[in-house]
Amino acid sequence: MSRIRFGIVGSGWRTEFFLRIAKALPERFEVCGVMVRNEEKARKFTEAWQVPVYRSIASLVEEGKPAFVITSVPWDANPGVIEELVSCNMPVLSETPPAPDLNALIEMNEKHRSARIQVAEQYAFQPIHAARIAIAGSGKLGTVTQAQVSAAHGYHGISLIRKLLGVTSENARIQAYRFTAPLVKGPGRGGPPEQDEQSNSEQVIASLEFDGKLGVYDFTGDQYFSWIRSPRVLVRGERGEINNREVRYLKDYLTPIELELRRLNAGEDGNLEGFYHKGIMAGEEWVYRNPFVPGRLSDDEIAIATCLAKMGEYAAGGPDFYSLAEASQDHYISLMINESLKTGEPVQTETQGWWK
C-alpha cells in the first residue's frame, strides 16, 4: 500500500491532529508540507514538527507535490483558500464547515460545482458512531424513524442525525430552544481546571421533523471535555432501537434480542499485542473494525485518519465520502437551528441549489 502524501494550509489546533496521525502511521501517511504565512509562526512550527513549511499555497503545491491539500483555517478564510487551491487544480479536503454562512455556501457550490472538493467531517467515522450507523443501516431496527443525538455541536451533530436517519436532501421543520444552567467547570484544550469554579452552561435542543422521521439535536459545548456531561444517542425503528451502547431488536415477533456494543482494545489486562483499538462487536458480529491497527490513535484521530484515507482514494479518482453538498446541507440546517433560536419560532428548510 503506497503512502498518501498530503499538504496542509494553516497551523492551528486542528492541524496538529493531522500531523500526529502521520507521525503515528508513517507507512500510511506523509505530510509533504504545511503552508504558514506568518514568519514567526512558521519558524516555531518547523522547530516543533520537523516538516517542510511553505509561505505560499503555490510553493506548497509546486514543490511539495501533494496528492491533495487540507484547509485547516478559520471559517471566513476557508472559501478564499479553497478557491486558490482549485485554481491550482488541486483536490481539496476542506475544513468544516466549508463556508461561514448560507450565502457563502451557495456561492461556493455554484463556483466550484466541478472542482474536486470533499469536507473533513469525521464524526460519522468515530468507532462508536460508525458502529451505530452500521446497525441503523443493517435493517435490524427496521426503518429508522427517530435519532436523538447529544454528541457533537452544530453541523457535526446534524451530520450524525442525517446518517442515522438515512436522509440526504429532505427538508425539515425545525424548532429550537435554549436552556442555561450552572455547571462546575471541567478541563479544556489546555488541560484540567486549576480551581473549583462554576460557570453557566448553555444547552441547545432542537427538533428536526423530516417527512415521517424525527431528529432531536441536543448539545452543550461543555460535553467535549467535561467529566460529568456525557454523550447520549438514541436511534429507533419499528423493530428495535440503539440506546447508547445497548441494542435491542426483534429476530421475529416473539424473539427479542439484546446486545451490547462491546469495545475491544489490545493491551488491556496483561494482553501483549500492543496498545490500540481493535473494533466494536455486537454479539458475535464485528460492527466496526479499526482500519489503522496497530496505530496508537484516539477515536477522533481514527476518524480523521479515515477521512485522510478516503480522501486519498477520492483524489485518485474514487468516490465521494462527504461531499461539498452534504457538508453544505449540514451547516445549512445548523444555521436554521440558530435562526429558530433567534426568533423563537419554528423554521422550514428549503431545497438548496447544491442538490440540483
Side-chain angles (χ1 to χ4, degrees):
M1 182 183 295
S2 60
R3 286 194 298 178
I4 296 171
R5 183 178 171 89
F6 63 90
I8 309 170
V9 176
S11 59
W13 183 69
R14 266 296 169 191
T15 296
E16 296 185 3
F17 281 73
F18 300 110
L19 293 165
R20 287 197 300 269
I21 290 164
K23 186 175 182 179
L25 301 170
E27 74 286 356
R28 297 290 299 270
F29 304 110
E30 178 185 2
V31 179
C32 67
V34 179
M35 198 284 281
V36 185
R37 285 199 171 94
N38 180 278
E39 184 175 354
E40 180 63 16
K41 284 186 177 180
R43 184 186 62 79
K44 291 181 178 178
F45 202 82
T46 303
E47 293 175 356
W49 291 99
Q50 288 81 51
V51 295
V53 174
Y54 297 93
R55 303 298 300 284
S56 71
I57 287 175
S59 60
L60 169 62
V61 171
E62 292 169 11
E63 299 174 34
K65 294 180 171 53
F68 61 87
V69 173
I70 300 164
T71 66
S72 186
V73 296
W75 293 5
D76 57 348
N78 202 42
V81 173
I82 289 175
E83 185 166 358
E84 189 171 350
L85 287 165
V86 169
S87 70
C88 296
N89 197 31
M90 178 57 55
V92 178
L93 180 58
S94 169
E95 178 60 277
T96 56
D101 53 45
L102 180 56
N103 288 335
L105 289 171
I106 292 170
E107 182 180 355
M108 178 176 288
N109 278 272
E110 290 176 347
K111 185 179 293 185
H112 302 309
R113 193 171 293 275
S114 60
R116 292 176 294 168
I117 301 172
Q118 298 290 289
V119 178
E121 177 52 61
Q122 81 273 24
Y123 278 81
F125 301 130
Q126 288 184 2
I128 189 62
H129 294 314
R132 291 173 179 136
I133 290 167
I135 292 172
S138 71
K140 285 185 172 65
L141 309 183
T143 299
V144 173
T145 54
Q146 185 176 158
Q148 300 182 23
V149 174
S150 180
H153 78 274
Y155 41 87
H156 297 306
I158 302 304
S159 74
L160 291 173
I161 289 172
R162 279 201 314 106
K163 289 187 181 297
L164 289 166
L165 289 176
V167 302
T168 52
S169 61
E170 292 89 333
N171 287 310
R173 182 181 184 274
I174 299 170
Q175 177 70 71
Y177 309 87
R178 181 182 283 111
F179 177 72
T180 302
L183 178 68
V184 174
K185 283 187 176 181
R189 289 184 180 181
E194 296 181 355
Q195 59 186 9
D196 188 333
E197 186 179 356
Q198 195 172 100
S199 64
N200 286 326
S201 175
E202 184 177 281
Q203 181 178 12
V204 173
I205 302 173
S207 61
L208 289 73
E209 297 180 40
F210 299 94
D211 184 16
K213 297 186 176 186
L214 173 66
V216 178
Y217 169 91
D218 178 359
F219 196 68
T220 170
D222 311 278
Q223 286 180 228
Y224 283 131
F225 289 96
S226 178
W227 292 322
I228 56 173
R229 290 291 183 266
S230 57
R232 304 179 309 285
V233 174
L234 175 66
V235 185
R236 285 180 166 170
E238 79 274 13
R239 299 193 63 83
E241 73 173 25
I242 304 167
N243 186 358
N244 286 335
R245 293 179 180 268
E246 295 180 352
V247 181
R248 293 181 173 87
Y249 65 93
L250 295 173
K251 185 175 181 180
D252 58 55
Y253 77 100
L254 289 176
T255 312
I257 305 295
E258 296 186 11
L259 303 171
E260 179 187 1
L261 293 177
R262 190 162 61 92
R263 182 185 181 95
L264 277 75
N265 297 324
E268 297 180 346
D269 299 324
N271 176 271
L272 299 179
E273 293 178 78
F275 184 68
Y276 55 85
H277 176 52
K278 290 184 175 182
I280 295 174
M281 297 190 76
E284 62 183 15
E285 178 185 1
W286 286 98
V287 288
Y288 173 80
R289 285 181 182 267
N290 178 11
F292 303 107
V293 166
R296 296 183 65 170
L297 303 175
S298 70
D299 283 6
D300 201 48
E301 289 166 344
I302 290 171
I304 295 168
T306 303
C307 289
L308 291 174
K310 289 181 178 294
M311 185 64 193
E313 295 173 4
Y314 173 81
D320 289 338
F321 62 93
Y322 189 72
S323 67
L324 181 58
E326 272 198 276
S328 299
Q329 184 71 9
D330 289 333
H331 190 37
Y332 168 51
I333 291 174
S334 177
L335 291 169
M336 292 297 279
I337 287 176
N338 291 338
E339 181 65 21
S340 180
L341 286 173
K342 180 181 176 181
T343 64
E345 300 295 328
V347 296
Q348 179 71 39
T349 66
E350 299 177 353
T351 303
Q352 297 298 316
W354 48 75
W355 295 121
K356 298 174 182 176

